[in-house]
Amino acid sequence: MNAETHTERLLAEVAVVVIGYDDAAHVTDAVRSALAQGPAVREVVAVDDCSKDGSAGLLDRLAASEPRLKVIRRRVNSGGCGTPRNTGLDAVTSPYVMFLDSDDVLPPGAVDALLEAAAGAHAEVAGGLCVRRELPSGREVPWQARLYALHAVVPHPARRTRLVHDTLCVNKLYRTAFLRAHGIRFPEGRFPYEDVVFTARVLAAAPRIALVPDRVYVWHVRRSAERLSISLDRAGVANWRARTEACRQAYEVLLGAGQKELARAVRAKFLDHDLRMYLRELGLRDAAYRRAWWELARSYLAEYDADDWARNPAAPGRLLGRVVLASPEPRDLPRLRELAARPARLYPPYARAADGTPVWSDGLAQVSLEPLLTRPVRALPLAVDAELRPGARGTRLRLRLHELYGRVAQAGPETVEAEWRHRDDGDVVVRGGSAALVPCTGVLEAAGSAGPGRTWSAETAVDLPALAALGAGTWDLRLRIRFRDGASRDVTAHALTGAGLLRRRAVPSARHGVVLVQPYTTHSGALALRVAPGVRGVLSVTRARLRRLLH
C-alpha cells in the first residue's frame, strides 16, 4: 500500500462518541483528544447527560470553532452510561465508531492504529491496549496486557475465549453497520457495568476481530474524587448486585447465541476476577454489608453447573467460590482475603478429612483441596509470613514459608529472593538479595490458627538507603522462591501484625538525617513499606496524617 492510498483509507472514517455528566473539569480535554486524532475522525458526537455544572455550554463554545463536533443535550439525566452512548450511536454517520468517557482521553495515534487494523483485516471490531492511569500519582497499569501483546486477527471470538476478560467498550473500534445490523446497543438507564453486557452482545454476533499492541485509551482513575465513577464506587452492596446481574446477563446472551465456550469463560472470569476483587475488600465492610454481599454471591454461584466447577478446580477463584457456596454465613474472611490475593496465598489451618484428603477446614470438609496435590509447584498458593525490623544498624526482613500438604517439602525449597517495587512506578525495583531457606518445625500462628507444622525460615537485609534515595514513596514486597529442581514461584508475603511490627519508626540516616519507615498491610494482607526521608519527608507524613484526622 503506497502512502497516498494509506492516507485515503484513514480519511474521515471514524466517529467518536463522548459522553459526560457534570464533568466540566475534564470533558473538553476528552473531546480535544478525539479531535486531535486527525483526519481519520470525521465527527465527534458529544452527548451531555443533562449536566448542571455548565458542561454543555463549554461544549457549545468548542463546537462553534470546530465543525466536526456535534453536541447533543439530553433533557433528562439517564443515571448511567448506556443511554447517552446509545443516543450518540444513533447520531453517528461514519462507517466506524468509538466511545470515550468525559474524564478519559485518547492518546495520539489511537484512531489510526485501530482503523488501519480493522481495514487491513476486514474486521468488524478492532481492539487495542488500554492503560489505567492513577491520578494524581500518574502510575499506569495496562488493562488485559496479555490479550494485546501482539498484532493478531481472531476470525471468531470462540477461538480466543480470553476476549471475555476485556469487558471495556472504550478501547475498541466498531464497524457501525455491524452494530446496527445486529441491533447491538447498551443497556438503558441506570445500569452499572453496561460494558459487560454490550461486550457480550458484540461477541455473540461472532465478529472478526483485529488486536493491536498500540496504546489506544487512557483510563483516568481518580480514587480521591468527591464523586467516584460508577465502577469505582463499591461501598454499597447495590454495586455488587449490579455486577452479578451484568455477569448473569452476559452469560445468558452468549449462551442464547450458541456461544457455549464463551459463556463458560464469562463464569470463569467472574470467579477469577470479580469474586477475588470483592473478597479482598470484604473484611473492610460492616456486618450488614457482608451478610448481604454473601447472600447475593451464593445466589449467583448457585446457578453454576458441574462443568463450571470442574474446569481448573484448583484455581483460587474456584476454591473461593466453593467456600462461599458451601457456607450460609460469612466466614474465614482473613483466609479468603489471602487466597483472593494476586498471587494467591493459602494460609493455615491445613485440615484433612477422615480419609486424609486435604479440605478447606474441619467445619467445611465438603470443600476438597485435593486438586492442589497435582498442581505444579510454580502455581501453588504458597503462604509466606513476613516481618520487617527497621533499625539504626540495618533493616532486616524475616520470612517464613509454610508447608502445603507435603508439596513444599517434596519440591525442596532452597532460596528466597526479595525485591521492593515502587508502587507508582513498577519499573523501579530495589533488590534485597537472596537468602537460604532453613527448615524448621514449630508452631503455626498465621491466620489465627495455632498448631504444629513444618516451615522454612530466612532472613535478608533491606537496602533502606537505596529506597530512601528515591524519595518518599510506597514499596511493595515481592519474593521469588527457588526449588531444588530449578523451578521457582513468585509470591507476595503475608504481613505479620504482632505487637509493634507495623509501628512507624524513625531510622537515623547519614545522608538524610532521618528516614521514616512504616511497614503496613495492604487490602489483600500483603506486606508493603512506606518510606519518607529527611525533614521534608517527615513534614509530608505529618500533613497527610492531619488531613486524615480532619477528614
Side-chain angles (χ1 to χ4, degrees):
M1 183 189 303
N2 59 45
E4 184 178 355
T5 305
H6 172 76
T7 302
E8 288 175 355
R9 289 186 66 172
L10 296 185
L11 282 177
E13 293 285 324
V14 178
V16 181
V17 174
V18 184
I19 64 167
Y21 168 66
D22 278 357
D23 198 15
H26 309 113
V27 66
T28 54
D29 290 338
V31 170
R32 287 191 175 99
S33 77
L35 293 169
Q37 295 296 308
V41 173
R42 174 190 295 180
E43 56 188 340
V44 175
V45 180
V47 182
D48 179 77
D49 200 9
C50 196
S51 295
K52 306 298 183 185
D53 68 344
S55 297
L58 292 174
L59 292 170
D60 285 338
R61 286 193 287 275
L62 185 57
S65 60
E66 176 50 71
R68 290 182 296 166
L69 175 58
K70 178 181 181 180
V71 180
I72 300 175
R73 296 193 188 189
R74 289 186 48 80
R75 295 184 178 182
V76 178
N77 178 258
S78 69
C81 297
T83 297
R85 285 194 185 129
N86 289 336
T87 300
L89 182 58
D90 290 340
V92 163
T93 63
S94 304
Y96 295 91
V97 62
M98 290 184 68
F99 300 99
L100 171 62
D101 290 345
S102 63
D103 53 350
D104 301 330
V105 293
L106 297 180
V111 170
D112 282 357
L114 291 172
L115 182 56
E116 184 171 6
H122 303 288
E124 287 83 18
V125 180
L129 184 65
C130 167
V131 295
R132 291 166 54 104
R133 180 181 291 164
E134 298 275 351
L135 297 175
S137 70
R139 176 193 182 202
E140 292 189 349
V141 179
W143 171 260
Q144 298 297 328
R146 283 173 50 194
L147 195 57
Y148 298 103
L150 300 169
H151 286 274
V153 177
V154 182
H156 193 290
R159 297 189 182 181
R160 190 163 300 189
T161 57
R162 185 78 189 176
L163 287 165
V164 304
H165 285 252
D166 183 13
T167 54
L168 300 180
C169 72
V170 289
N171 60 331
K172 300 177 184 71
L173 178 82
Y174 304 92
R175 190 180 291 275
T176 310
F178 163 77
L179 296 180
R180 289 174 176 165
H182 292 276
I184 299 172
R185 298 172 68 80
F186 293 89
E188 294 279 350
R190 184 166 180 78
F191 190 102
Y193 307 110
E194 74 293 331
D195 282 25
V196 174
V197 178
F198 178 83
T199 299
R201 291 171 177 172
V202 169
L203 297 178
R208 184 177 177 86
I209 301 175
L211 306 176
V212 299
D214 305 68
R215 177 185 298 206
V216 301
Y217 197 86
V218 179
W219 175 2
H220 287 148
V221 180
R222 297 177 173 88
R223 299 185 190 276
S224 59
E226 289 186 13
R227 189 187 74 200
L228 290 174
S229 67
I230 293 173
S231 60
L232 288 179
D233 188 5
R234 297 196 292 270
V237 76
N239 176 275
W240 177 240
R241 182 182 293 107
R243 187 178 286 261
T244 55
E245 178 57 27
C247 292
R248 179 183 288 110
Q249 288 195 27
Y251 172 81
E252 292 172 351
V253 164
L254 288 164
L255 193 64
Q259 305 284 358
K260 190 172 183 178
E261 286 300 310
L262 289 175
R264 291 214 182 275
V266 165
R267 285 187 166 176
K269 172 257 179 188
F270 175 84
L271 295 173
D272 183 61
H273 175 71
D274 306 80
L275 188 67
R276 291 176 75 171
M277 177 171 60
Y278 281 76
L279 276 172
R280 288 195 294 270
E281 302 172 352
L282 192 57
L284 305 175
R285 313 300 187 192
D286 61 31
Y289 175 100
R290 291 197 295 265
R291 285 193 298 271
W293 184 95
W294 199 270
E295 182 179 350
L296 286 167
R298 294 185 77 233
S299 175
Y300 179 67
L301 293 173
E303 300 172 13
Y304 281 41
D305 60 27
D307 286 343
D308 292 321
W309 295 113
R311 299 186 178 199
N312 197 6
R318 279 177 173 75
L319 295 179
L320 291 166
R322 293 183 64 199
V323 171
V324 172
L325 190 58
S327 176
E329 297 290 337
R331 61 174 295 157
D332 303 335
L333 297 189
R335 197 168 181 227
L336 291 172
R337 177 189 68 173
E338 300 284 340
L339 187 58
R342 294 188 183 277
R345 304 183 296 267
L346 180 61
Y347 261 78
Y350 300 125
R352 291 183 184 270
D355 62 358
T357 301
V359 295
W360 176 258
S361 66
D362 292 338
L364 283 183
Q366 65 269 44
V367 180
S368 172
L369 302 183
E370 190 171 15
L372 293 176
L373 299 180
T374 57
R375 197 168 176 84
V377 69
R378 66 179 180 276
L380 287 175
L382 300 182
V384 180
D385 292 327
E387 60 178 89
L388 199 73
R389 298 284 185 175
R393 296 183 179 180
T395 299
R396 308 295 296 177
L397 177 66
R398 297 176 183 174
L399 303 168
R400 182 175 59 176
L401 168 66
H402 293 272
E403 178 59 278
L404 186 64
Y405 296 112
R407 294 300 315 284
V408 178
Q410 180 185 16
E414 294 187 336
T415 61
V416 58
E417 300 165 6
E419 67 178 28
W420 297 91
R421 295 183 185 176
H422 198 279
R423 176 70 59 81
D424 293 332
D425 188 351
D427 292 332
V428 177
V429 175
V430 173
R431 304 194 184 281
S434 177
L437 284 162
V438 180
C440 54
T441 302
V443 175
L444 304 184
E445 300 172 347
S449 174
R454 186 173 182 182
T455 63
W456 290 258
S457 64
E459 185 171 321
T460 184
V462 178
D463 193 348
L464 189 58
L467 298 177
L470 294 166
T474 300
W475 299 83
D476 292 306
L477 175 63
R478 296 291 186 271
L479 303 172
R480 174 166 294 175
I481 300 170
R482 296 193 181 275
F483 297 90
R484 186 170 46 234
D485 65 353
S488 65
R489 173 61 163 146
D490 292 341
V491 299
T492 55
H494 166 80
L496 292 179
T497 58
L501 287 178
L502 301 183
R503 189 176 69 242
R504 183 184 292 117
R505 290 177 171 84
V507 179
S509 167
R511 177 176 178 181
H512 302 285
V514 66
V515 177
L516 281 185
V517 180
Q518 183 177 19
Y520 78 99
T521 305
T522 68
H523 284 174
S524 67
L527 179 68
L529 180 64
R530 295 188 182 101
V531 174
V535 175
R536 186 173 296 177
V538 172
L539 290 175
S540 69
V541 170
T542 303
R543 284 194 295 268
R545 187 172 185 182
L546 285 173
R547 282 196 298 270
R548 288 196 297 272
L549 289 172
L550 290 172
H551 180 69

